[in-house]
Amino acid sequence: RLVERRDQIDRMLGDLDKAIHRQRTKQEEIRQDPKDMFDGFDPTSVEEETSRRWGDTPEYQQSIHRTSSYEEQDWRLIEEEQTGLYEALYALMQQGASVSDDAVQKLVEAHRAFISRWFYDCSHERHRSLALMYEQDERFVRTIEAKGTRPRLAQFLSQAILLEHGN
């Protein structure tokens, strides 16, 4: 009986080792997914800057709390939703839509709701701050414009957000 019990415990330990290995592998994949989401930009490369600039804000704390629990499927959903928003905005821009068009403004609100749903409660004022960064920070421009496949979209989005908020 002791030998049988030992064999059973050995199998359980083996299963536990496999589960730990899968979890570690899953965590490594999750860490890589955000980088893929941002067209090769590695968000961890700016963690110090981000923490220094916004670490004491409730939005930053909320974003850290939310994203720390995301799994690979969550990052995929985020990527798909973000890409869908940018592609829809870009299509309207290509069709000659103005930043004041209702369809554009609905997508601007959907963009703010996207941030609120996945990262932090994004007020209109915070959205306005993001709009300014979308035009001024090349890292955002490259991501929004998908490395040149959606030219001028960052500026278009920024102007649409600023218009929505009366600026």
Side-chain angles (χ1 to χ4, degrees), residues 93-108:
M93 187 181 94
Q94 290 294 97
Q95 294 167 12
S98 163
V99 295
S100 63
D101 285 355
D102 285 342
V104 172
Q105 287 301 307
K106 284 180 183 173
L107 286 171
V108 165

Side-chain angles (χ1 to χ4, degrees), residues 2 41 49 51 62 73 79 85 87 95 105 108 110 114 117 122 141 145 149 157 159 165:
L2 289 175
F41 171 68
E49 174 189 355
S51 179
Q62 188 177 32
Q73 65 196 23
E79 178 183 13
L85 284 168
E87 290 295 328
Q95 294 167 12
Q105 287 301 307
V108 165
F114 162 79
R117 183 171 37 266
C122 185
V141 172
E145 295 182 358
T149 62
L157 174 58
Q159 291 171 356
H165 303 305

Side-chain angles (χ1 to χ4, degrees), residues 132-147:
L132 298 173
M133 289 192 321
Y134 291 167
E135 277 193 85
Q136 297 167 359
D137 190 320
E138 271 303 308
R139 297 169 291 191
F140 283 103
V141 172
R142 277 192 306 274
T143 299
I144 292 168
E145 295 182 358
K147 297 181 183 175

Side-chain angles (χ1 to χ4, degrees), residues 116-131:
S116 292
R117 183 171 37 266
W118 290 106
F119 299 101
Y120 55 84
D121 297 334
C122 185
S123 67
H124 290 283
E125 183 60 32
R126 182 61 67 191
H127 205 208
R128 182 184 177 284
S129 297
L130 289 173

